[in-house]
Amino acid sequence: MAKKAVATLHEGSSDGRAYTKVIKMVKSQKTGAYIFDERMVRNEEVDAFFKG
C-alpha cells in the first residue's frame, strides 16, 4: 500500500518538484552563534538564496 501512495505523489502536476529545501548557516548578530536558515524556495531561486 505504501508503494501505491508514493506512486500517486509522482503523478499529476509537477508543483512539488518545483521547490527545493535549502539550508544556510548564518551567524547571529545578537549572540554570535551560528543558526540555520531553512526555507523552501523555487528551483530557479536557489542561487539567489545563497548569494543574498
Side-chain angles (χ1 to χ4, degrees), residues 13-32:
S13 67
S14 62
D15 290 338
R17 293 186 219 156
Y19 289 89
T20 304
K21 182 178 183 178
V22 292
I23 303 170
K24 179 170 57 171
M25 191 166 66
V26 181
K27 194 166 187 176
S28 174
Q29 295 290 337
K30 277 186 181 177
T31 62

Side-chain angles (χ1 to χ4, degrees), residues 9-49:
L9 291 175
H10 294 289
E11 294 176 2
S13 67
S14 62
D15 290 338
R17 293 186 219 156
Y19 289 89
T20 304
K21 182 178 183 178
V22 292
I23 303 170
K24 179 170 57 171
M25 191 166 66
V26 181
K27 194 166 187 176
S28 174
Q29 295 290 337
K30 277 186 181 177
T31 62
Y34 285 98
I35 57 173
F36 294 98
D37 184 15
E38 289 186 37
R39 293 188 193 171
M40 294 292 289
V41 298
R42 294 192 59 82
N43 291 339
E44 298 84 23
E45 300 169 0
V46 171
D47 292 332
F49 173 78

